[in-house]
Amino acid sequence: MKFMIVDAFTETRFGGNPAGVVFVPDGEDFPSDEVMVKTAAELRYSETAFIRQLGPKEFNVRYFTPAAEVDLCGHATIGSFCALQHGGLIQDGDECMNHTLSGDIQVGVRGSSVMMDMAPAVNIQTISEPEKLKELYDIMGARWEPERIAASAGPDVERLLPQLISTGLPDIMMPLATQEDLNAMEPDMKALSQLSEYYHVTGVHAFTLDSEEGVTAHTRNFAPLYDIDEEAATGTSSGALTYYFYLNGVIAGKDSCVFIQGEKMDRPSRIETTIDMSSGEGGRIRVGGSAVVLAEGEIHI
């Protein structure tokens, strides 16, 4: 089978978030789940995507971490459709359909950039109990400081609390006051895995609105339950954070965001999102960015 290694959410090789992309030959079914998990573990990236082409602009993509299959992965989707364009299977300007375990997702190709629809946004739960807030922030190696967080958010935002949001995968959106606070975090990964199981989430997406002009927020993402201690770019979580910002009055119902992630890992990523709440409950959220192919070849599975 043909495969590529793609750096997503960056225009520079060795930046962004790398993903494996494996192309299932025409007319063949996916390999067994066991083989796909082992392949993801062998490639050692946070996610590896397996692609079956169903039609000229129609695809079925499945996503595997080194530990298990997940319903959707943003950076591996961006990487997959960059790889499809690199291989001449789709063209600039195409609108494609991606069938995933999280639902059918439209993906648009614009030059070197790929923008993908997220699943309808869902606000699952707010963490507001003092003991639960302390537990979360202690596990993450941070302090719950609501006054400092509110001050960093600006006068138009009354209060920011951690919330469980999903745009395909559920994560805890966790506010912090400053970039210094964000970069200082050293989570207890074992405890975070247990907390993720308790809340039935993929992990924690921490952010701060303490950012420079042209950037909405700086972020870090942790999902040790799925063998991902930290990730350099997380598309689904960026979509969820966009909805979180809409719910909390940080952005309007037709707006865009730019997130910077991966700096602590020396793999800075730039993730762009748009939101349009006029399309009904959950709105339409798109996440995207650029990607570059690092390597390609044959994988014998």
Side-chain angles (χ1 to χ4, degrees), residues 5-287:
I5 296 169
V6 186
D7 292 333
F9 295 117
T10 181
E11 295 180 349
T12 306
R13 289 181 179 85
F14 307 111
N17 198 0
V21 179
V22 179
F23 298 90
V24 177
D26 288 346
E28 293 188 17
D29 203 351
F30 290 106
S32 69
D33 289 4
E34 179 184 6
V35 166
M36 289 191 282
V37 169
K38 286 183 175 179
T39 301
E42 191 77 9
L43 290 175
R44 294 181 175 86
Y45 296 113
S46 57
E47 275 90 6
T48 293
F50 292 79
I51 305 175
R52 286 182 65 219
Q53 184 162 10
L54 306 179
K57 301 177 186 178
E58 185 177 7
F59 303 89
N60 179 193
V61 183
R62 294 176 64 183
Y63 307 89
F64 286 81
T65 76
E69 184 173 16
V70 293
D71 289 353
L72 182 65
C73 173
H75 84 272
T77 301
I78 301 303
S80 292
F81 282 82
C82 170
L84 288 166
Q85 185 182 25
H86 180 83
L89 297 171
I90 57 175
Q91 309 298 324
D92 179 16
D94 282 351
E95 285 287 330
C96 304
M97 180 58 66
N98 179 18
H99 300 284
T100 77
L101 291 179
S102 186
D104 294 343
I105 294 171
Q106 194 168 356
V107 181
V109 181
R110 300 292 181 270
S112 62
S113 181
V114 174
M115 294 294 290
M116 59 177 285
D117 280 4
M118 294 284 97
V122 180
N123 179 13
I124 301 168
Q125 178 184 344
T126 299
I127 301 175
S128 58
E129 302 89 340
E131 65 277 9
K132 295 296 185 184
L133 289 166
K134 184 178 186 306
E135 177 187 41
L136 170 62
Y137 280 77
D138 283 351
I139 286 172
M140 296 303 295
R143 295 179 61 186
W144 167 241
E145 299 174 306
E147 293 80 12
R148 290 182 67 234
I149 292 169
S152 72
D156 296 331
V157 180
E158 292 185 6
R159 191 183 187 197
L160 293 179
L161 288 165
Q163 286 179 265
L164 280 63
I165 306 284
S166 175
T167 52
L169 294 175
D171 275 299
I172 299 172
M173 304 295 112
M174 177 182 159
L176 291 162
T178 67
Q179 290 187 48
E180 183 179 1
D181 295 337
L182 183 71
N183 291 328
M185 283 195 308
E186 296 290 345
D188 179 334
M189 296 301 177
K190 182 177 180 181
L192 178 53
S193 292
Q194 294 170 345
L195 189 74
S196 299
E197 286 186 315
Y198 173 79
Y199 282 113
H200 303 291
V201 297
T202 305
V204 169
H205 197 63
F207 71 90
T208 178
L209 286 162
D210 171 31
S211 57
E212 60 274 24
E213 185 177 354
V215 174
T216 311
H218 289 255
T219 66
R220 293 178 70 186
N221 186 276
F222 307 89
L225 182 61
Y226 290 89
D227 285 355
I228 306 168
D229 284 354
E230 184 167 3
E231 193 163 49
T234 316
T236 52
S237 300
S238 297
L241 185 57
T242 303
Y243 189 61
Y244 173 96
F245 284 163
Y246 164 74
L247 292 176
N248 288 279
V250 177
I251 62 173
K254 278 193 175 182
D255 220 330
S256 60
C257 298
V258 173
F259 301 123
I260 304 298
Q261 187 180 331
E263 294 165 297
K264 183 74 172 181
M265 304 172 69
D266 293 323
R267 294 191 70 104
S269 304
R270 179 185 174 92
I271 305 165
E272 301 172 5
T273 70
T274 61
I275 186 169
D276 183 355
M277 293 304 300
S278 67
S279 59
E281 186 177 356
R284 185 187 189 191
I285 296 173
R286 300 199 105 186
V287 174

